[in-house]
Amino acid sequence: MNITRRVTEAVDFEYMKAAIDAGNGPEFVRPFDELIIPLENGKSITAVCGGYVGDRRARFVLKDCLPELHVMNKRPTNAGGYLNSEGRRHVLEDILPLFPAWLRDAMKPRNMVETIDGEEHTYADTLWIPSATDLFGPSESGFWAEEPDSEQLDIFKTERGRVKEVEGYGTYPWWLRSPRAGTSNCFVRVDTDGTADNSSANNSLGFAPGFDL
């Protein structure tokens, strides 16, 4: 039976983090377990354990989108990829500060690899929006580029598991950080039925970031 855990700055979180760091994370938190996190604005969010990346890194993604819709870029372009996008700025400058300091300090930066204009860029963020490969696995049709930094998470192996809500809107499309291959204006999104689609970067959709512990 899966356990819903309310995360606080108390012993439970420290014990969980120590267990993950020691390679014993699955003894304490497993895929589909939920962490309820208090935010600095007085609200709370729920993050779901998506699975483990290696033996000492647990990957979490928000269960639903944050209330505020946002664009990936102010103009209809995916030039610059996620690395230089407004969406990334929004995640790091607007969303990340809402997380409690003790949780921000515990996040492990995720390395991401992206080819932009033929040049490979490697960078690391503590909070990010998932890639298309995180959701769907490698693209067999070339809908998005190869993402060597990603692997499909356990929680996203069914269409139902990929559906998210936005407060006040119900089930809603949400952004992924993967540019749509073969276009100059779109990023991949998750549609309301849990399938892959794409939207012009200047459309306002849901954001459901993730983090590693």
Side-chain angles (χ1 to χ4, degrees):
M1 181 175 66
N2 292 327
I3 301 172
T4 299
R5 305 180 187 277
R6 181 172 295 276
V7 179
T8 69
E9 198 173 357
V11 176
D12 280 353
F13 179 76
E14 296 300 328
Y15 181 82
M16 181 185 75
K17 184 66 168 64
I20 293 170
D21 290 343
N24 301 317
E27 298 178 10
F28 190 85
V29 61
R30 300 178 180 86
F32 298 97
D33 281 355
E34 298 180 355
L35 308 179
I36 301 173
I37 303 166
L39 298 180
E40 297 291 341
N41 61 8
K43 298 181 179 180
S44 64
I45 55 173
T46 300
V48 182
C49 179
Y52 283 80
V53 181
D55 295 330
R56 301 171 190 268
R57 181 179 291 253
R59 184 154 290 169
F60 293 81
V61 178
L62 296 196
K63 183 176 182 179
D64 284 308
C65 297
L66 293 161
E68 297 79 16
L69 303 177
H70 202 75
V71 300
M72 280 297 289
N73 276 316
K74 294 180 180 179
R75 296 185 298 108
T77 179
N78 60 24
Y82 180 67
L83 174 62
N84 299 301
S85 69
E86 163 62 19
R88 180 175 180 240
R89 184 215 63 79
H90 176 57
V91 169
L92 295 177
E93 297 182 14
D94 300 334
I95 300 175
L96 181 58
L98 295 175
F99 284 72
W102 52 267
L103 181 55
R104 296 198 306 267
D105 291 342
M107 293 176 180
K108 297 175 180 175
R110 176 181 178 175
N111 289 326
M112 294 180 280
V113 181
E114 192 170 12
T115 300
I116 303 170
D117 296 330
E119 182 178 353
E120 185 174 278
H121 298 264
T122 301
Y123 55 103
D125 291 343
T126 52
L127 193 69
W128 32 265
I129 55 175
S131 68
T133 304
D134 289 341
L135 271 288
F136 303 101
S139 174
E140 297 179 358
S141 63
F143 199 67
W144 57 88
E146 182 180 356
E147 296 172 317
D149 57 18
S150 304
E151 57 186 72
Q152 189 180 29
L153 297 177
D154 294 337
I155 60 172
F156 293 134
K157 291 185 176 178
T158 66
E159 291 178 351
R160 183 172 183 174
R162 304 176 198 132
V163 174
K164 297 191 183 298
E165 294 189 357
V166 175
E167 183 178 336
Y169 294 89
T171 304
Y172 208 81
W174 57 288
W175 281 122
L176 302 177
R177 61 177 171 86
S178 308
R180 166 71 162 93
T183 75
S184 61
N185 66 319
C186 293
F187 283 82
V188 182
R189 78 179 195 195
V190 183
D191 225 335
T192 54
D193 61 357
T195 59
D197 203 342
N198 65 100
S199 282
S200 180
N202 61 334
N203 287 336
S204 292
L205 303 179
F207 272 68
F211 56 89
D212 289 349
L213 293 177

